[in-house]
């Protein structure tokens, strides 16, 4: 009887470990939150939540695009600059040309999609190395962002901020709702649609995908356009949060997005990854930043710790696979 | 025999990959002897060569070099012992110059400073020797033609001053005069006491240059004799084996079926000679030929993977004729290709079995909006893996965990899932165990009987003979012969496969992509 009970206990233990292992990133996120909650009195508060919600939307949507591109076996280094370009287009459109906000927003997102189309056309159809193409686009889009804003922060005003300002005291804004909806939608796209399967197939084995009747160029190009489009939306979110268009916005954002995707279990080799995972990756990076700041860690040390966490995530991922 | 101590002795060498490749192989070659090694594809020639230079390890058996035990584990070992190989797959670095490629092979230390002038001088002499006068030793290897690259590879091997040279198909891309020049060099080397192992499909060359020759069949040495006493016919007979004329008459009487595929004047960059043939519905058509004779290229061309230079590939179905232009259209026309290199062109190893089976026919498991329906997927895949007896833990098992035979069956399942009516199978039983092989054979016959047309490439003639209704033979990228079940013999098929290689007068033209 006791023996049986012990067996049961051991079995349950193993099962718990298995579940924890399968959901390692969620567990890690909870552990980080718990850690800061214990150490800092002010961490588990509404202030922290609204800080988090302010930072979250742009990085989240950019990370969705990055995740899709990485799963297809590509990379998009231009997203940070495209965020600035889109914000710049929106700012210039409203302040200099007096366009209505919705039209300016659409133009900003369109600019992002065009940058993605250029990446996709050159990388997928002309078969240029996508790393170099998007590295070039990183410079091009940044330059264009400076050109449209005349290298100055363009003030837009309160109208656009409505998109980012939380409703009541909840901390929830339109921005964050859009970002969350997109996370769910793109996870669905990836898991449950033909196109999602095609992305995974191309990233997993391009030659086999082609023989299976999938056009790898079309798939690669489409995910880059999606990534550009989402970066364009990120630009809108960034401008809404700041109330202005900053041509220096999004510097280094591509690296944060790659880090979030990788923490979330996406393989840089392609063929594996998850949008939900990338979102949890975004949460981990952001919570870590806020938490470390709250307990008085200096900026240089914060960077050391964040970098170490990214490397640790890859080690854990390798060990599990 | 008062012959000097043998240069190299192989005793009881065995090697298996998925199946045994070498079985108890014994050889003894004296210094100054050019020893030929011939056999069908997969007879084990290249594996034996790789074992001698340490690129593969033997499972059993021993090697003696000049009477000393010899157990190389890499080419650095074998080079140190004075053994060099000119491999079938060229091992040149495209971005380095000819001279640098040669130096790469003979430099004694990784840190040795590259002395340009002396390197180029040595390279120059060697290139002169093999007949590459026109090439500047400083030019990049990447710019050379395949034949020139092969000459560089040979020069590289000669540069080592080894006492045992292993040449694996050294003349496959060379013209007759170039090959003759090489043979002269080899004879000179042999006079100086160097031992040469010469592997080739060109039987005329072998009889011409070698002193002795061994025939490998099914991983065993079947014959070792002085070349003077042998003819090409005798070699082919020995390669084909005593059971050459075995018959597997288990076909029902052929009824004239409608035309399914017609290939007219098809040419691609890799198939320079126009190819014409037809295939009827429910036919099991075999394609035979030596490695590199264009078999894979033919299947790829039908499937629309390689750009077509001339001719047409047409599918005739339900009274309609469709021209096939690219893989996506081929699939819509009901064609499926199972590629030779399963891991490169077939499986998605990190994805699930279900993913792998459905990937070419996702439309069949989704609704109109493009949303995948899990229940449809599970039942479709489940039915197929039951029917094909794919051994797995279910549709969610990762492909990489499946055995080669089960992976191969799921490649068939992939095309059956999307409703293919014409299967192009490139070496469908390569690297699978005997049981799986039989299961795949049974499945192919069953498919054929259910009206599916199958075109299969195989290096094993016995396999084609026991399965197929008709066999086409490719030789050096030329479609040379057609045999019907009633009137074929293994010897005739083999002779056809060698025929174009025997025509010395015509230079080998191999298209460089």
């Amino acid at each position: 009887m006791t023996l049986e009970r012990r067996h049961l206990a051991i079995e349950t233990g193993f099962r718990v470990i298995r579940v924890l292992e399968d959901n390692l990133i969620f567990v890690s996120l909870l552990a980080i939150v718990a850690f800061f909650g214990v150490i800092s009195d002010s961490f588990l508060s509404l202030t922290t939540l609204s800080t988090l919600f302010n930072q979250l939307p742009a990085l989240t949507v950019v990370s969705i695009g990055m995740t899709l591109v990485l799963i297809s076996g590509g990379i998009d280094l231009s997203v940070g600059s495209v965020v600035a370009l889109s914000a710049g287009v929106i700012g210039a459109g409203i302040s200099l040309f007096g366009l209505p906000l919705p039209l300016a927003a659409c133009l900003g997102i369109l600019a992002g999609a065009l940058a993605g189309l250029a990446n996709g056309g050159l990388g997928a159809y002309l078969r240029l190395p996508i790393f170099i193409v998007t590295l070039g686009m990183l410079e091009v889009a940044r330059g264009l962002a400076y050109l449209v804003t005349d290298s100055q922060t363009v003030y837009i005003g309160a109208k656009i901020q409505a998109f980012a300002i939380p409703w009541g005291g909840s901390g929830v804004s339109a921005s964050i709702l859009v970002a969350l909806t997109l996370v769910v939608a793109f996870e669905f796209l990836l898991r449950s649609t033909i196109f999602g399967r095609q992305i995974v197939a191309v990233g997993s084995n391009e030659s086999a995908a082609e023989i299976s009747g999938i056009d790898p160029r079309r798939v690669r190009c489409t995910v880059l356009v999606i990534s550009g489009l989402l970066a364009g939306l990120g630009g809108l979110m960034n401008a809404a949060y700041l109330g202005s268009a900053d041509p220096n916005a999004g510097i280094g954002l591509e690296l944060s997005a790659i880090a979030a995707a990788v923490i979330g279990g996406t393989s840089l080799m392609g063929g594996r990854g998850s949008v939900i995972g990338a979102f949890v990756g975004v949460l981990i990076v952001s919570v870590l930043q806020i938490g470390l700041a709250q307990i008085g860690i200096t900026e240089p040390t914060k960077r050391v710790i964040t970098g170490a966490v990214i490397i640790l995530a890859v080690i854990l991922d390798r060990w599990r696979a | 025999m008062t012959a000097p101590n043998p240069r190299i002795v192989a005793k009881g060498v065995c090697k298996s990959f998925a199946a045994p490749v070498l079985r108890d192989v014994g050889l003894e070659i004296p210094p100054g002897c050019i020893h030929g090694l011939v056999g069908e594809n997969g007879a084990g020639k290249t594996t034996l060569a790789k074992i001698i230079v340490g690129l593969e390890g033997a499972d059993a058996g021993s090697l003696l070099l000049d009477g000393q035990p010899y157990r190389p584990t890499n080419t650095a070992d074998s080079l140190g012992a004075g053994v060099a190989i000119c491999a079938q797959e060229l091992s040149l670095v495209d971005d380095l110059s000819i001279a640098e490629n040669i130096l790469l092979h003979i430099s004694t230390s990784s840190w040795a400073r590259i002395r340009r002038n002396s390197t180029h001088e040595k390279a120059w002499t060697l290139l002169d020797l093999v007949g590459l006068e026109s090439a500047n030793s400083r030019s990049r290897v990447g710019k050379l033609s395949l034949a020139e690259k092969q000459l560089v590879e040979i020069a590289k091997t000669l540069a080592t001053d080894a006492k045992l040279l292993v040449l694996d198909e050294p003349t496959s891309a060379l013209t007759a005069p170039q090959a003759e020049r090489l043979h002269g060099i080899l004879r000179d080397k042999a006079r100086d006491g160097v031992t040469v192992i010469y592997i080739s499909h060109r039987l005329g060359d072998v009889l011409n240059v070698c002193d002795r020759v061994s025939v490998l069949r099914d991983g065993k040495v079947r014959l070792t004799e002085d070349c003077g006493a042998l003819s090409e016919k005798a070699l082919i007979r020995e390669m084909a084996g005593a059971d050459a004329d075995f018959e597997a008459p288990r076909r029902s009487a052929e009824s004239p079926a409608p035309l399914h595929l017609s290939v007219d004047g098809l040419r691609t960059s890799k198939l320079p000679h126009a190819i014409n043939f037809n295939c009827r519905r429910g036919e099991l058509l075999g394609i035979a030929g030596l490695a590199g004779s264009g078999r894979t290229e033919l299947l790829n061309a039908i499937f629309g993977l390689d750009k077509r230079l001339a001719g047409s590939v047409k599918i005739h179905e339900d009274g309609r004729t469709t021209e096939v232009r690219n893989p996506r259209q081929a699939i819509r026309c009901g064609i499926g290709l199972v590629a030779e290199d399963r891991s490169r062109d077939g499986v998605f190893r990190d994805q699930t079995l279900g993913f792998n089976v459905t990937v070419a026919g996702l439309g069949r498991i989704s609704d109109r909006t493009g949303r995948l329906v899990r229940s449809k997927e599970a039942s479709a895949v489940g039915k197929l893996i039951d029917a094909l007896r794919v051994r797995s833990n279910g549709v969610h098992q990762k492909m990489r965990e499946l055995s080669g035979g089960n992976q191969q069956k799921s490649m068939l399942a992939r095309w059956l899932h999307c409703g293919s009516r014409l299967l192009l199978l490139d070496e469908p039983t390569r690297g699978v165990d005997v049981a799986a092989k039989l299961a795949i054979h049974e499945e192919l016959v069953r498919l054929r009987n259910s009206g599916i047309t199958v075109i299969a490439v195989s290096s094993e003639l016995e396999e084609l003979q026991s399965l197929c209704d008709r066999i086409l033979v490719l030789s050096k990228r030329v479609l040379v012969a057609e045999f019907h079940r009633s009137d074929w013999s293994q010897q005739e098929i083999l002779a056809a496969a060698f025929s174009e290689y025997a025509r010395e007068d015509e230079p080998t033209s191999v298209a460089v992509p």
Side-chain angles (χ1 to χ4, degrees):
Chain A
M1 197 61 194
T2 40
L3 198 69
E4 251 175 49
R5 198 172 294 169
R6 237 168 71 188
H7 272 293
L8 195 70
I10 289 170
E11 209 170 279
T12 317
F14 272 125
R15 208 167 288 164
V16 169
I17 288 172
R18 176 85 42 82
V19 170
L20 290 181
E21 212 185 290
D22 286 347
N23 298 289
L24 196 62
I25 48 165
F26 293 99
V27 176
S28 313
L29 177 61
L30 287 178
I32 292 170
V33 170
F35 173 78
F36 287 120
V38 169
I39 288 202
S40 155
D41 292 337
S42 55
F43 182 75
L44 295 177
S45 68
L46 209 61
T47 326
T48 309
L49 198 68
S50 59
T51 315
L52 182 66
F53 280 2
N54 275 332
Q55 293 185 358
L56 222 47
L59 180 57
T60 299
V61 292
V62 166
S63 298
I64 294 171
M66 183 66 78
T67 303
L68 296 185
V69 174
L70 290 175
I71 294 174
S72 79
I75 194 161
D76 186 352
L77 297 177
S78 67
V79 286
S81 300
V82 172
V83 164
L85 171 61
S86 161
V89 166
I90 294 168
I94 293 173
S95 301
L96 304 180
F97 297 99
L99 297 179
L101 174 62
L103 180 61
C106 287
L107 285 179
I109 294 170
L110 183 69
L114 287 177
L117 188 63
N119 285 334
L122 295 168
Y125 284 97
L126 293 188
R127 295 179 183 272
L128 302 178
I130 195 61
F131 188 96
I132 303 299
V133 168
T134 56
L135 187 63
M137 185 56 71
L138 180 147
E139 282 301 305
V140 170
R142 181 66 63 190
L144 291 175
Y146 286 128
L147 286 175
V148 294
T149 58
D150 204 12
S151 304
Q152 282 160 14
T153 300
V154 178
Y155 177 73
I156 300 174
K159 214 170 160 194
I160 196 170
Q161 282 180 298
F163 192 51
I165 288 172
W167 296 315
S170 66
V172 179
S173 61
S175 253
I176 193 96
L177 276 186
V178 169
L180 286 175
T181 311
L182 287 176
V183 167
V184 174
F186 276 99
E187 179 73 14
F188 177 81
L189 175 97
L190 190 62
R191 297 278 157 249
S192 300
T193 66
I194 291 180
F195 183 61
R197 281 281 172 96
Q198 290 179 338
I199 296 174
V200 175
V202 168
S204 187
N205 185 341
E206 180 168 353
S207 165
E210 174 144 36
I211 291 178
S212 302
I214 296 166
D215 184 351
R217 285 161 304 234
R218 194 180 60 90
V219 172
R220 285 180 186 284
C221 185
T222 310
V223 289
L224 283 161
V225 171
I226 292 175
S227 175
L229 198 114
L230 289 172
L233 180 63
L236 172 66
M237 288 167 164
N238 185 277
Y241 164 55
L242 297 173
S244 57
D246 174 8
N248 287 312
I251 289 179
L253 194 69
E254 61 282 349
L255 299 181
S256 307
I258 293 170
V262 167
I263 290 174
T266 297
S267 162
L268 285 179
M269 301 290 122
R272 182 168 58 94
S274 125
V275 174
I276 298 270
F279 177 61
V280 180
V282 169
L283 287 175
I284 288 179
V285 173
S286 308
V287 169
L288 208 59
Q289 297 278 338
I290 296 167
L292 289 173
Q294 281 197 8
I295 61 174
I297 303 282
T298 58
E299 185 61 28
T301 319
K302 255 168 68 182
R303 297 184 76 147
V304 172
I305 293 174
T306 313
V309 165
I310 293 168
I311 296 172
L312 185 71
V314 179
I315 293 172
L316 283 177
D317 195 54
R318 165 104 11 124
W319 165 72
R320 270 163 55 199
Chain B
M1 280 273 274
T2 53
N5 277 338
R7 173 60 41 84
I8 179 111
V9 179
K11 267 191 236 157
V13 172
C14 297
K15 177 77 186 175
S16 307
F17 295 107
V21 177
L22 292 176
R23 293 188 264 198
D24 196 20
V25 166
L27 274 183
E28 201 177 302
I29 310 175
C33 176
I34 305 181
H35 193 106
L37 213 51
V38 299
E40 272 190 74
N41 299 324
K45 301 167 304 219
T46 296
T47 309
L48 183 58
K50 284 185 172 171
I51 288 174
I52 290 173
V53 296
L55 285 168
E56 297 276 0
D59 297 339
S62 61
L63 298 173
L64 292 176
L65 186 70
D66 288 328
Q68 302 295 314
Y70 165 65
R71 229 174 204 298
T73 52
N74 52 45
T75 45
D77 278 6
S78 57
L79 267 181
V83 181
I85 187 167
C86 175
Q88 200 173 356
E89 302 104 33
L90 302 179
S91 55
L92 301 174
V93 183
D94 277 353
D95 290 322
L96 293 181
S97 74
I98 296 175
E100 284 161 340
N101 262 287
I102 292 173
L103 175 97
L104 209 57
H105 209 50
I106 53 175
S107 62
T108 44
S109 146
S110 315
W111 304 106
R113 199 173 139 258
I114 296 172
R115 282 192 303 276
R116 300 234 164 219
N117 287 333
S118 67
T119 311
H120 285 132
E121 242 163 65
K122 178 153 193 186
W124 187 251
T125 342
L126 283 160
L127 293 171
D128 218 26
L129 192 65
V130 298
L132 252 186
E133 303 95 339
S134 56
N136 186 326
S137 63
R138 288 173 201 269
S139 53
R140 269 185 55 233
V141 162
K143 288 194 224 153
L144 301 181
S145 75
L146 193 56
E148 287 171 322
K149 282 186 186 175
Q150 193 157 35
L151 288 174
V152 174
E153 182 85 31
I154 291 167
K156 199 174 114 174
T157 316
L158 295 175
T160 57
D161 298 321
K163 55 188 177 183
L164 172 59
L165 294 174
V166 183
L167 306 176
D168 193 355
E169 297 284 357
T171 59
S172 59
L174 300 188
T175 60
Q178 286 173 321
E180 197 37 58
R181 186 172 193 129
L182 170 66
H183 295 155
I185 298 168
L186 293 181
R187 286 192 199 99
D188 286 347
K189 284 271 179 189
R191 258 193 296 283
D192 296 342
V194 172
T195 301
V196 179
I197 296 179
Y198 187 94
I199 300 172
S200 182
H201 275 318
R202 294 181 170 186
L203 301 182
D205 283 2
V206 171
L207 291 174
N208 174 12
V209 71
C210 296
D211 302 312
R212 282 169 79 74
V213 61
S214 294
V215 176
L216 279 174
R217 171 159 41 91
D218 299 334
K220 283 188 185 161
V221 178
R222 301 291 167 159
L223 167 116
T224 299
E225 231 174 279
D226 287 339
C227 280
L230 286 167
S231 66
E232 277 191 46
K233 277 216 173 90
L235 284 180
I236 290 183
R237 198 161 47 238
E238 221 29 72
M239 285 156 60
D243 54 347
D245 293 318
F246 98 122
E247 227 18 70
R250 50 184 164 114
R251 278 300 95 65
S252 55
E254 276 179 51
S255 55
L259 190 65
H260 191 177
L261 168 78
S262 57
V263 176
D264 296 305
L266 174 64
R267 285 199 297 121
T268 66
S269 65
K270 293 165 190 162
L271 291 171
H273 309 283
I275 293 201
N276 298 289
F277 71 93
N278 291 326
C279 191
R280 297 189 167 280
R281 176 165 306 288
E283 189 175 19
L284 225 164
L285 178 67
I287 294 176
L290 304 169
S293 60
R295 304 168 304 180
T296 298
E297 290 77 4
L298 177 55
L299 293 192
N300 289 350
I302 295 173
F303 198 61
L305 271 174
D306 294 338
K307 196 166 174 276
R308 210 163 286 163
L309 299 177
S312 68
V313 172
K314 290 190 182 111
I315 290 287
H316 309 274
E317 260 180 338
D318 308 326
R320 271 178 315 165
T321 299
T322 326
E323 170 126 28
V324 180
R325 290 170 202 284
N326 60 52
R328 280 168 293 290
Q329 204 197 1
I331 291 169
R332 276 199 300 276
C333 289
I335 309 181
L337 171 70
V338 177
E340 176 180 17
D341 189 339
R342 199 168 48 229
S343 57
R344 198 190 63 197
D345 301 323
V347 300
F348 300 89
R349 61 188 303 277
D350 294 328
Q351 310 304 334
T352 64
L353 174 58
F355 181 104
N356 272 276
V357 170
T358 56
V359 67
L362 292 169
R364 288 174 176 253
I365 54 161
S366 59
D367 61 18
R368 269 201 213 126
T369 59
R371 191 172 69 90
L372 300 173
V373 183
R374 303 278 161 188
S375 57
K376 274 194 195 176
E377 175 172 20
S379 76
V381 176
K383 252 183 243 165
L384 279 166
I385 65 177
D386 280 351
L388 291 168
R389 272 165 289 177
V390 178
R391 227 171 304 151
S392 70
N393 299 336
V395 296
H396 297 298
Q397 192 170 12
K398 288 271 192 278
M399 198 64 170
R400 58 166 182 263
E401 295 164 2
L402 265 55
S403 73
N406 285 309
Q407 288 187 0
Q408 191 69 345
K409 287 186 205 168
S410 52
M411 291 298 104
L412 286 179
R414 176 183 297 171
W415 295 117
L416 297 181
H417 168 73
C418 74
S420 299
R421 275 103 46 209
L422 170 61
L423 295 178
L424 309 174
L425 309 178
D426 200 349
E427 300 282 1
T429 60
R430 171 169 290 176
V432 308
D433 62 46
V434 178
K437 187 170 173 172
L438 287 176
I440 289 171
H441 285 175
E442 278 172 26
E443 191 52 42
L444 293 186
V445 171
R446 239 187 52 208
L447 290 174
R448 175 208 117 96
N449 291 342
S450 71
I452 288 178
T453 312
V454 178
I455 300 182
V457 161
S458 174
S459 290
E460 289 178 52
L461 267 185
E462 285 92 344
E463 178 170 55
L464 292 180
Q465 283 183 303
S466 71
L467 282 173
C468 298
D469 305 313
R470 194 157 58 105
I471 295 178
L472 301 177
V473 185
L474 282 167
S475 182
K476 221 161 92 180
R477 296 158 198 267
V478 181
L479 184 54
V480 289
E482 175 186 4
F483 292 92
H484 288 271
R485 169 160 285 273
S486 47
D487 61 27
W488 65 41
S489 78
Q490 193 165 6
Q491 285 172 28
E492 281 173 321
I493 297 174
L494 261 185
F498 279 103
S499 60
E500 283 295 314
Y501 294 89
R503 286 165 48 163
E504 295 270 312
D505 48 316
E506 199 186 331
T508 314
S509 61
V510 178
V512 183

